[in-house]
Amino acid sequence: MCDSSYSPGWFLQNGVVLTVYTAVCASRDWQRTTQNPEPPYEEKIFIGAQEVPIFGWVAIPENAHGTIVGTYGITGDLDNQWYLRLLGRKAYAQGYAVVLFDWRAHGKTAQLSPTLTSDGLYEGEDFVRISAAAKAMGCPGKFWFTGYSLGGQLALWAVKAAVELTREDENLGLEDSDIGGAAVICPSLDSARSLSFLVKHPVGKYFERAIARQLKKLAWQIHDAHPGTIDPEAIERANSIWGFDEELVIGRLGFPTVEAYYDASSALPLLRNLTKPTLIIYAEDDPFFEPAIIPELQIACANNPMVDLLLTRYGGHVGYISSKTCQRQAKDPDQWWAWNRILEWIGKQG
């Protein structure tokens, strides 16, 4: 069933329009939409899975009552991912410790290591090891993993990894009771089907090309920071998201094909087995993802009482800018409906 508590202004009741508006327009004045200041972040280099160094920011308020650990989507870095930094402001103001990080091959993490992405296969463990180090710094449980778009996929993998690692690694520094769960916005759930949908969509193909250009730029930055680690000819050939993974990623991870990699890393099959509270906010009009996934998402969530699904008619891809009427009805302090629902939901988990 579709949740009706979210509504945008009438001119944003189209997934493509809301997605573009959020990325182009809302990104310019987001700081004016919140009364919350930037937390006093401390820079920290964490050690993730496979001993990969991960760059992050940590802020711990007085009397913190939990910790939110988050990252962003397929491209970007901590400096320019304003949507994630908005969460940091809101969460810190509500008394949560906040840990934000540049995931593998992004931002300052890419300067520290040439290790490329794995779309959750190792990033899930990164989340957990970051949380263990944050606990040692004074961040309190429970730890809540969050992200949006591809970062949401990573956070779902983190729930699986957390349960396994707290059970198997006595030296981890985290207990099962330290793990809260996850709350994600518009997570990638089936990479192969959604990418096929995106490149065939009359507007989506332009989104895909823009992302591919950013991935190529990312690869060149790693090449320049770590000479000899990436074949420049392979970067030249990587002219699509699929091409990036085919030329640069799957060989290092041991997958014979991109299809096999996407099958292994996609998050939809994880949902039936998650054993920690998990919230998924997902829009029916998300222009990035194959609509046929939605019935399968509904079934997976219905069959697992640990997973709550907020499926909305509108929202676009990581948009969720609410109308004034919606803000009044939800008693929200601002237009950022999805982050407000996530913080509200986490607050109710106890």
Side-chain angles (χ1 to χ4, degrees):
M1 182 177 294
C2 190
D3 184 274
S4 60
S5 63
Y6 169 71
S7 61
W10 65 268
F11 62 99
L12 296 177
Q13 293 180 2
N14 174 284
V16 172
V17 174
L18 180 50
T19 300
V20 173
Y21 178 86
T22 304
V24 176
C25 300
S27 61
R28 295 173 183 167
D29 66 351
W30 68 274
Q31 296 186 65
R32 289 185 288 176
T33 67
T34 177
Q35 298 292 317
N36 307 132
E38 189 85 347
Y41 289 116
E42 172 187 347
E43 294 185 356
K44 171 72 173 178
I45 296 176
F46 301 96
I47 302 300
Q50 305 168 301
E51 301 296 313
V52 172
I54 308 288
F55 177 82
W57 296 342
V58 182
I60 310 173
E62 291 186 17
N63 304 313
H65 54 82
T67 302
I68 292 178
V69 183
T71 195
Y72 42 81
I74 190 169
T75 61
D77 56 55
L78 287 180
D79 289 329
N80 66 29
Q81 289 298 292
W82 62 271
Y83 197 74
L84 183 65
R85 292 174 65 173
L86 178 65
L87 169 66
R89 291 185 180 209
K90 295 171 72 66
Y92 187 85
Q94 293 188 26
Y96 292 98
V98 178
V99 182
L100 308 179
F101 66 95
D102 280 325
W103 64 287
R104 293 173 178 232
H106 293 74
K108 291 185 179 177
T109 292
Q111 297 175 20
L112 297 171
S113 168
T115 305
L116 288 171
T117 52
S118 70
D119 287 4
L121 298 178
Y122 291 106
E123 288 87 355
E125 183 176 338
D126 290 342
F127 263 92
V128 182
R129 296 200 177 278
I130 287 168
S131 298
K135 180 183 176 182
M137 295 176 66
C139 291
K142 296 183 173 182
F143 288 84
W144 298 94
F145 310 132
T146 191
Y148 46 85
S149 193
L150 186 52
Q153 175 170 308
L154 309 184
L156 293 172
W157 273 100
V159 179
K160 178 179 186 293
V163 172
E164 294 172 352
L165 287 169
T166 54
R167 182 175 62 239
E168 298 169 1
D169 188 347
E170 296 180 355
N171 299 316
L172 179 64
L174 280 179
E175 305 295 331
D176 180 77
S177 59
D178 290 322
I179 305 302
V184 299
I185 302 171
C186 303
S188 174
L189 295 170
D190 188 312
S191 302
R193 279 192 288 173
S194 287
L195 184 55
S196 176
F197 167 79
L198 189 64
V199 298
K200 294 174 184 176
H201 190 280
V203 178
K205 63 184 180 182
Y206 296 105
F207 291 141
E208 191 276 340
R209 290 173 191 171
I211 293 170
R213 286 194 295 270
Q214 290 300 311
L215 289 174
K216 195 175 187 107
K217 181 178 177 181
L218 177 155
W220 281 119
Q221 289 171 344
I222 295 174
H223 171 273
D224 294 343
H226 308 278
T229 59
I230 298 183
D231 179 4
E233 293 184 0
I235 299 176
E236 290 287 1
R237 293 191 298 268
N239 292 315
S240 64
I241 297 174
W242 184 284
F244 177 86
D245 289 327
E246 183 172 48
E247 293 290 347
L248 304 174
V249 174
I250 62 171
R252 298 177 181 223
L253 294 175
F255 288 98
T257 63
V258 177
E259 292 94 332
Y261 170 50
Y262 287 168
D263 286 345
S265 60
S266 290
L268 188 60
L270 297 178
L271 301 184
R272 68 175 71 94
N273 298 317
L274 296 181
T275 58
K276 293 289 184 178
T278 299
L279 172 66
I280 297 173
I281 298 177
Y282 204 90
E284 287 186 337
D285 68 350
D286 191 322
F288 275 44
F289 299 142
E290 166 60 64
I293 293 171
I294 292 174
E296 297 172 45
L297 170 62
Q298 292 176 294
I299 292 170
C301 295
N303 289 336
N304 186 345
M306 301 306 293
V307 182
D308 293 332
L309 174 63
L310 261 179
L311 179 66
T312 59
R313 179 180 178 184
Y314 305 116
H317 186 68
V318 195
Y320 284 108
I321 295 173
S322 57
S323 66
K324 291 292 185 181
T325 299
C326 182
Q327 291 170 48
R328 287 193 297 269
Q329 290 174 342
K331 297 181 173 60
D332 284 344
D334 53 42
Q335 65 190 16
W336 305 108
W337 185 87
W339 284 139
N340 291 328
R341 298 291 75 74
I342 280 179
L343 291 169
E344 181 181 66
W345 178 87
I346 290 175
K348 292 178 178 178
Q349 299 308 305

